[in-house]
Structures are given as C-alpha cells and as structure tokens.
Amino acid sequence: MVQLTMAKAITAGLSAAMARNEKVVTIGQDIGKLGGVFRITEGLQDRFGAKRVIDSPLAEAGIVGTAIGMAARGYLPVCEIQFDGFVFPAFDQIINQASRLRFRSSGHVTAPIVIRLPYGGNVGSIEHHGESPEAYFTPTPGLRIVTPSTPADAYDLIQQAIDCPDPVIVLEPKRLYHSLKGEVDLDAPPRRELSQAHVVRTGTEVTLIGYGPMVSTLVNAAKVLADEGRSAEVVDLRSVAPIDWATIEASARKTGRVVVAHEAPRTSGVGAELAARIQERCFFHLEAPVLRVTGLDMPYPPSRVETDYVPSVDRVLEACDRAFAY
Amino acid sequence: MIATNAWTPRIVGDPTDQPDDAPADGIETVRLLAEDGAATGHPSYSPLLNADQVREAYRTMFLARRLDTEGTNLQRQGQLALWAPALGQEAAQLGAISALRPTDMVYPSYRELSMAMHRGLDPVAVFQIMRGISHASWDVDAHHFGLFSFVVGAQTLQATGYAMGITLDGADEVVLVCLGDGATSEGMVNEAFNYAAVFNAPVVFLVQNNQYAISVPNSLQFRGAPAARAQGFGIPGIRVDGNDLLAVNAVVAEAAERARRGEGPTVVEAMTYRLGAHTTADDPTRYRSREEEQLWAGRDPLVRTERWLRDQGTHDAYFADLASEADALATDVRARVLALEPVGITELYDHVLAEPSPALVEEREQVRAYLANLEGR
C-alpha cells in the first residue's frame, strides 16, 4: 500500500499499463518534457521514450483521429485532452468515428482507445477550464465513460479502460488531482468491474447518487444527515455510460428516496436519465420524486461565483429535506 | 471584380540582415531595424511610422509591459486565477494594430493586452477575466476589438466570416486576427485560411510565432512554417521580424491595404519569442534552456524600439516620464483590480438567451431564494 494523490495514482496506472504492454502509447499536447499541464504523464517520456509518449501538435481532432488509426494497427493509444472545454474539435472523431466503428463495420474494425479528459469546476480558473461536458457524450452508443472518485479507483480505472476493447473516455476530476490523497495497492487486481457502480456508504432512508468530484460532497452530506439521525446511502456511479442499473435500482428500492448530484447543467444531464429510469423501474417503491442537485442551466460562470454553481453539501441537504418532506 | 492572387513569395536573394536562426525555408524575414535598433534599408519596405507615431506605439508597449508584470505579480499573490504574459511580443502586437484604422475589427487570441489598450479598453477589463469576475465586459463593436479566444484557433474562422460580411457590405474595412504558431495546427485555422482564400476575404492573419505552444517547439509542431504554408492555400505568406516594430507595421500595413483593395487575405508570420511562461501555471525551465532565453532577452523589442527612438533624438526625459506614468498606472490598476466585485450568479441568467425561457426564470428564482435563505441563516 502506498499513499498517492489522484494525479500520481493515474500516473502509476498509466505507467503500469505501458510497462505491461508495449502496444500502449500515449499521445497529447505537452505530455512529453512538460509532463502534461497537470503533470499526469510526468516521467513517462523518460521511461518509455518519445515514440510511446508522443507530443502531439496542437489539434484535438488530430489526437483522437490518429489514435483511432493507430488502434487499427494494433496499438492501444491513450489520448490526453488538456481541458474539458477543449475536447470539442475532437467531437466528430469521438461521436461519429470511434464510438461506432464496431457497429458500422459489423465488428470487423474497433477503436480500443482511451481518452483522458480532465473535467469539473471549483478550480478557480478561466473560461473553458471548469466544465462538465459528460452529457454531450453519454447518449452515444458504443462509448464507455468512467470517472474515478478516489486515487485507488483512478489507478484501477485507467488500466481497465486501456484493457477494454471499446473506446473509453476517462473523465478525471481535476479538482481532486492534487488535493485528494488515498491508499493505493499497486499490486492488487482491480476491485470492481470497469462499468460497475460502488456503494460507498450504506444507509436506509435516502440514496445519494453521484460520480467523480461529487462523491466526496455526497459522503459529507451523508455524515451531516447521520448527525441529524437520518441514514443515507451513497452510490458512486463510477461509470456514467453504461450505468450499472442493478446497483442503482436495488438501492432505490431499499431507501425509497433518491437525490442525484452532478456539476453539469440539469437539463438533459445524467441525472435526467437516472430519474427517468428509476421512476420507470422502481415506481411503487418510491416515497418521493427523484430530485436533482446540479450545475445551473447556464454556461459555466466566472470563477468568483462558481461556488454558487457547483452543487454544495448544503444544496444536497436542502434536496434531502425536500425528499423527506413528501 | 475579385482580383486574383497573383503573388509570388519573396525568396531571399541577397539577404542583407537576416537573423542567425531564421528558418531555412528560403523565405525572407523582413526587417527594418537591426538588433541594435539601427535602421536598415529594405528593397520593398520602408518605415511608415514617424517618430511621434513610434513614440505613441512604444508608450503603449511600455505601459502594457508594466501591467503584464503586475498581472504575474497579482497572480502570484493569489489575486488572479491565471495570467498569460505577452513579454517579448509587444512589437508584433503594436506594430500590427497601429497599421490599422480604428474601424478595422481585431480578433485577438488571449495574450493581446497591449492591443486592447491601443483600442482604448480600460486594462482592468483584461484583469477582470483573469480574476474570474467576468468572461468579458467590453463593448466589442464600440472598440472594434473582439473577445479573447481561449479555444485555440476558433477566432480565425469567425474573423474570416466577419471579413466576408465586409465584402458583402462593400465596406472600406479589414479584419486583423491574432493567432499563435501552435494554433496553426488546428483544423479550424486551416479551414479559415482556405475560406479566406476562396472568398477573397479582407482579413490579415497575424501569426505571432513565439516558437512554443506551451512546451512544444516549432520543430515538433509543423514542418511547413505558417508563412510557407500560406502559399499552399493560395494566400501570400510574409515573414517579418516580430520584434521589429517598424517592420511589422510596414508588412501588416501592406497586407491591410491589399485586403482593402479587394486583393484578399495575407498570412503574416511575426517571428518573436515568449520571454515569459505560457501562463502562470507553466514552468518553462522544463522545456527550454537558459541560454535560449538569454539570447532572446537580448532581442527585447522594447529595447530595440527605445534605441531607435533615442537615435531619432528622443530625450531621457521622455523615457523617465513614461516610467513614472507606468508606475502610476500599475498602482491604479492594481487598486481597481483588488476592488473588483463579481456579478452575482442570478444576474448571469440575463445573458443566457435573448429572452429567458420560463424554466430559466424559475431556476433563477430558486437560486435567488436559496442564496437569500443561506444568508439569512
């Protein structure tokens, strides 16, 4: 067991995958000498060389598009996109190309690429640096999207994503990169399946569902609720596409109340899919409507007011109060 | 009547004063000032600015440099989210913008503080962005100065479209759009070059080639430099010493006049160097040498312009007064930046749609009530 930040856990996972399989390469802007803008690839070019840790020209469509081509030659490329707000030039390569190659080729061509995408707000930065774009990707058949909430999970998920035969976006909660430390067993096999949710805390009266940077907010809310004599279960989705419905439905049936939280805007967000499916499948078990605590239906705001935008413990508790009031 | 791009690149025949490290692609680097600030002759270009105009440009460069330093200081003191210094690129920026008319639209990248000041923006407007107060607060049409574009290269297509509108209007205007060497790798920029060529758009692409896209040097970014590549799009590509205020001005003026005459776009590659970090989040010691930085510090565009001005008889008193003015401006800007208050989150709903939808109005009222309740506790 070692204590690692989430950033170092991802570095360790990448490094382990590259050491295990020489077909694993990584490509992105500034990932060589600089080690990436978040230093996630720090040291990798020294260890694996510039042929496997590739500084790309400044072009996101180029990064993802060439990764698809390298994958067709048997390589396993891990793409780094610098920030959430900069992924969109690569949108066509992700949505129209990587995600449906298997489908449109009757299974003959696949794109086992990984796209690492730092996301999430409350990092005090400028425009396009604090966004949560997952809902632009989640409706896309053929694409897997995972996001860790702990260093240990990050270590597992990056390696599982690389091993996965499907294209996988790993949404990395950038606010936790350097702020969250945790124990990581570098030799243990992955503790969960790639697309499996995790019940972080068990409870009986309300289920709090979140992912990535929201999980710690939900755990903190659950602790406050416990002090008030209320028992909350916290479910970390880990995979926002596909969603582990069995775990979600079991928890919803058990508690009868569900509050979903994410930083992305409310409208047509992941929470909308959760609310719809839960009411379809668990209607007679519910004591209250599924409630959402989310970012606001506006573009991400200037950072001095972002704490009013990103869901807080208080906003989660306020939603729980409403759920209990039914 | 659309003119054809009957243009041939200027190939170096007998280079008189070329930088030692100029790209070896046969394209001349236009220069009017030697590195010591002495005027050099050029067969095709001559200075278009008189001493008073150079003094005015130098003043803006100098003030911008002072505020740039203040920006980095404020970020280090935790008062700004980020700062993107333009140290070393001031001549490329001021040389270009002073070749335009005030009614010519400028699309900046995100490092053009000095251009914003030239267009009469309160520099605090730029600091607002970096302090997380506002994404942008200035009146674009009033200043003919567009929004910063943090999505690298996106502005080049929009600038081209603006220029296409000028053509449709038959207006006597041109557009200048700023981008960096790294941006020229983006698909959007290559589309912009092609659109501008096809539609003969009156746009000047000012590529400030500061030699690094964060850590990635030109050698890993492209094999065909922007000035060379332009020719493949059917656009004149001209390389200029970006630390030479007079040369940048003369080259951009020529390009702007061509555009104004209906002869289409130009790519101007201004060779310069980012003396500072990419942003305050960057650490250049990881990817470039001290020797290289010192070489370029010796080519500082402010020093070169100052030498020329002194040769032209500008007195010490001018420079002393300017230094005092810069310090006073920095003190004033710092105080006003520290006093900036953000717009409340509920007011931001005003600018989501032209008329907020009922759902937006409802959400705004929920947020307002929630925040009022929090304050009331």
Side-chain angles (χ1 to χ4, degrees), chain A residues 39-203:
Chain A
R39 311 290 186 260
I40 303 298
T41 55
E42 189 166 47
L44 295 186
Q45 197 177 59
D46 286 341
R47 179 167 176 199
F48 298 107
K51 286 185 175 170
R52 292 181 66 197
V53 180
I54 304 165
D55 267 324
S56 73
L58 204 177
E60 296 78 7
I63 293 169
V64 178
T66 56
I68 294 170
M70 291 175 79
R73 287 284 304 183
Y75 286 88
L76 296 172
V78 181
C79 305
E80 176 172 307
I81 301 291
Q82 283 191 334
F83 280 91
D84 31 57
F86 300 151
V87 69
F88 296 104
F91 205 55
D92 180 76
Q93 291 293 338
I94 299 170
I95 303 297
N96 277 336
Q97 312 303 328
S99 68
R100 63 170 74 187
L101 267 179
R102 179 185 301 279
F103 190 78
R104 58 189 278 254
S105 70
S106 307
H108 290 293
V109 186
T110 61
I113 65 170
V114 174
I115 300 166
R116 297 182 36 247
L117 183 58
Y119 82 121
N122 269 352
V123 290
S125 194
I126 56 167
E127 210 178 352
H128 312 296
H129 290 65
E131 320 218 339
S132 296
E134 60 270 24
Y136 295 108
F137 298 98
T138 47
T140 310
L143 196 57
R144 289 180 186 270
I145 305 169
V146 297
T147 179
S149 65
T150 66
D153 229 17
Y155 179 73
D156 287 348
L157 279 179
I158 185 65
Q159 295 180 77
Q160 290 173 291
I162 291 168
D163 289 341
C164 179
D166 300 317
V168 183
I169 295 179
V170 181
L171 293 169
E172 298 178 354
K174 72 170 93 74
R175 145 168 114 245
L176 305 181
Y177 269 153
H178 305 295
S179 68
L180 182 67
K181 260 194 165 183
E183 291 212 321
V184 183
D185 185 344
L186 298 176
D187 302 316
R191 294 154 306 157
R192 275 170 279 280
E193 296 296 318
L194 176 68
S195 298
Q196 189 182 355
H198 174 44
V199 179
V200 176
R201 182 184 171 104
T202 56

Side-chain angles (χ1 to χ4, degrees), chain A residues 254-276:
Chain A
K254 179 171 74 170
T255 65
R257 293 181 179 84
V258 179
V259 173
V260 182
H262 54 66
E263 294 188 20
R266 176 167 57 176
T267 297
S268 298
V270 172
E273 181 60 31
L274 285 162

Side-chain angles (χ1 to χ4, degrees), chain B residues 158-170:
Chain B
Q158 297 162 18
T160 301
Y162 191 96
M164 289 161 67
I166 291 173
T167 304
L168 291 175
D169 288 345

Side-chain angles (χ1 to χ4, degrees), chain B residues 9 30 34-35 81 92 132 135 142 144 173 194 197 201 208 222-223 228 244 246 311 320 324 351 359 371 376:
Chain B
V30 175
E35 283 180 14
H135 289 328
H144 294 95
E173 297 170 38
N194 191 45
Q208 293 171 60
F222 43 66
R223 290 295 164 92
D244 178 341
L246 290 172
D311 287 349
S324 306
H351 303 298
L371 292 174

Side-chain angles (χ1 to χ4, degrees), chain B residues 162-374:
Chain B
Y162 191 96
M164 289 161 67
I166 291 173
T167 304
L168 291 175
D169 288 345
D172 186 20
E173 297 170 38
V174 303
V175 182
L176 179 84
V177 56
C178 299
L179 62 154
D181 41 295
T184 67
S185 293
E186 285 282 7
M188 291 183 281
V189 173
N190 291 274
E191 292 176 29
F193 286 171
N194 191 45
Y195 268 67
V198 166
F199 293 100
N200 209 46
V203 55
V204 179
F205 296 94
L206 177 69
V207 182
Q208 293 171 60
N209 185 345
N210 70 16
Q211 309 196 37
Y212 286 91
I214 306 189
S215 72
V216 176
N218 280 184
S219 59
L220 294 178
Q221 191 67 240
F222 43 66
R223 290 295 164 92
R229 222 180 313 160
Q231 295 160 35
F233 286 97
I235 304 178
I238 302 179
R239 181 175 294 137
V240 62
D241 182 334
N243 288 6
D244 178 341
L245 178 78
L246 290 172
V248 175
N249 177 266
V251 164
V252 172
E254 183 202 41
E257 284 318 306
R258 286 184 65 258
R260 227 181 278 285
R261 288 196 304 267
E263 294 171 25
T266 305
V267 174
V268 174
E269 181 184 12
M271 301 301 294
T272 180
Y273 192 81
R274 192 189 74 213
L275 291 174
H278 165 69
T279 69
T280 44
D282 178 34
D283 176 10
T285 62
R286 284 172 174 256
Y287 55 82
R288 62 188 196 187
S289 70
R290 188 95 189 96
E291 292 70 30
E292 182 185 290
E293 291 180 353
Q294 279 170 346
L295 170 72
W296 282 91
R299 297 170 170 177
D300 189 324
L302 266 77
V303 174
R304 203 188 294 188
T305 312
E306 180 187 334
R307 284 178 182 156
W308 184 86
L309 281 171
R310 286 186 184 278
D311 287 349
Q312 299 294 310
T314 307
H315 295 297
D316 287 345
Y318 168 81
F319 296 102
D321 288 350
L322 183 55
S324 306
E325 183 189 358
D327 286 341
L329 177 65
T331 304
D332 169 60
V333 166
R334 163 180 274 270
R336 289 191 294 129
V337 167
L338 294 179
L340 286 171
E341 289 292 336
V343 173
I345 191 105
T346 52
E347 291 167 61
L348 296 177
Y349 284 99
D350 294 350
H351 303 298
V352 177
L353 294 170
E355 288 292 329
S357 63
L360 271 186
V361 171
E362 186 186 331
E363 184 180 277
R364 181 181 63 198
E365 294 316 310
Q366 285 169 352
V367 172
R368 201 193 300 276
Y370 172 79
L371 292 174
N373 186 38
L374 265 192

